[in-house]
Amino acid sequence: MIIGSKILFFDTLSSTNTKAAMLIRDEEPPEGTVVYADFQTSGKGQTGSTWESEKGKNILISIILYPESLAPEDQFIISMTIALAIADLIDKYSPGCRIKWPNDIILNDKKIAGILIENSISGSVIKSSVAGIGLNVNQADFPENLPNPGSLKLITGVVFDIEVLLKELLSALDKRYKTMLYGDREIIRQEYVSKLYRLNELCRYGSAGSVFEGRITNISNEGLLIIETPEGRLMTFAFKEIDYLS
Ligand code: BTN
């Protein structure tokens, strides 16, 4: 086992990602070490946002990785690997989990998990990667300012044992990560694409002040989103260059 070989539990942290980065700097823990907390005072989300989570209700972890065999230009495979592992777990309890590019985990149109990957790149090598995961498990009430939150409990009606679920998540992550390291990365890419939220559906999007219709068809090698317009034009977007409209 790589992921979960060592688990460091903390009652409260500012952010498990921040703690993991400090540990890498100070003592280089073994690959797969998991920093796990019941509560974060400054949980970090994508693009400088915050991640809110009620104490003891959800899974808040960061995994320390050293994917040195991976070229920096291929780093999106880490996101795909982590997202697929979360989807593997969710699908066991409630099938139909989708991945909203780049890495929101969606179940029944609600966001139930978010991923924040922070890589440290030196020259042509990814020296370390911190893969932070916030999975909403038993939380039933969310702050009103959150766009579209959900949890496993709200969707399935079941109260989960967090420790059991965490073990299952780590095992799913370990399996997918080993495929990323030693197996066929193209399979990861294809499975990720097959699980994309809105894949091949004609939907509305907004970008650079204009609204258009198109279908998500693929992900580029660099991890950019590819949308095909009804006229057959292929458009490519980086994160934050596109809004999903209803
Ligand atoms: C997102 O905005 O969707 C990403 C959210 C990532 C949240 C997790 S919670 C555990 C880890 N520690 C953090 O500070 N953030 C990530």
Side-chain angles (χ1 to χ4, degrees):
M1 169 181 248
I2 303 174
I3 294 184
S5 51
K6 187 172 175 188
I7 299 178
L8 304 172
F9 174 74
F10 300 86
D11 185 66
T12 301
L13 286 174
S14 64
S15 150
T16 56
N17 268 37
T18 306
K19 181 71 182 178
M22 283 164 56
L23 288 168
I24 292 170
R25 185 196 61 200
D26 296 341
E27 51 195 82
E28 258 196 44
E31 173 153 73
T33 297
V34 177
V35 177
Y36 165 37
D38 255 356
F39 185 67
Q40 298 181 124
T41 53
S42 307
K44 297 194 286 182
Q46 295 277 355
T47 56
S49 62
T50 57
W51 185 258
E52 312 282 343
S53 174
E54 209 178 314
K55 187 172 172 59
K57 294 273 169 109
N58 304 313
I59 291 179
L60 303 168
I61 56 170
S62 297
I63 303 148
I64 293 172
L65 304 169
Y66 305 105
E68 292 194 358
S69 65
L70 201 61
E73 58 269 27
D74 295 332
Q75 61 187 280
F76 192 66
I77 192 84
I78 305 173
S79 279
M80 295 197 269
T81 302
I82 303 288
L84 275 180
I86 301 171
D88 292 341
L89 174 75
I90 308 294
D91 276 344
K92 265 174 66 178
Y93 293 99
S94 187
C97 179
R98 315 300 296 172
I99 302 165
K100 185 175 172 191
W101 176 88
N103 46 22
D104 287 353
I105 306 297
I106 305 286
L107 187 61
N108 288 12
D109 271 318
K110 301 280 182 202
K111 175 167 173 175
I112 64 163
I115 302 168
L116 178 64
I117 305 215
E118 296 182 289
N119 293 330
S120 160
I121 295 171
S122 166
S124 59
V125 174
I126 302 176
K127 295 289 288 177
S128 64
S129 176
V130 172
I133 300 171
L135 169 61
N136 296 336
V137 182
N138 290 328
Q139 186 163 339
D141 299 305
F142 290 90
E144 280 185 3
N145 59 316
L146 294 185
N148 194 25
S151 69
L152 274 177
K153 181 189 167 205
L154 281 176
I155 290 164
T156 63
V158 174
V159 176
F160 287 81
D161 182 321
I162 302 272
E163 301 290 324
V164 171
L165 206 64
L166 175 63
K167 276 213 180 84
E168 291 178 348
L169 175 61
L170 296 181
S171 149
L173 285 161
D174 189 57
K175 200 166 157 210
R176 288 284 185 181
Y177 188 62
K178 283 176 180 156
T179 304
M180 190 200 99
L181 288 183
Y182 314 120
D184 187 348
R185 289 186 185 150
E186 183 53 22
I187 289 180
I188 295 183
R189 210 187 72 79
Q190 282 173 12
E191 277 196 61
Y192 176 91
V193 170
S194 77
K195 284 195 164 290
L196 279 176
Y197 176 70
R198 288 187 170 184
L199 180 68
N200 294 325
E201 287 174 34
L202 188 62
C203 297
R204 281 180 356 119
Y205 297 92
S207 182
S210 67
V211 172
F212 64 95
E213 282 194 327
R215 297 173 201 276
I216 293 175
T217 56
N218 212 339
I219 298 291
S220 75
N221 287 340
E222 304 77 34
L224 304 176
L225 184 69
I226 300 175
I227 296 186
E228 186 174 345
T229 66
E231 302 76 40
R233 188 155 70 98
L234 293 183
M235 302 169 81
T236 303
F237 298 94
F239 189 37
K240 287 289 155 197
E241 283 179 358
I242 180 132
D243 293 319
Y244 290 64
L245 304 178
S246 48

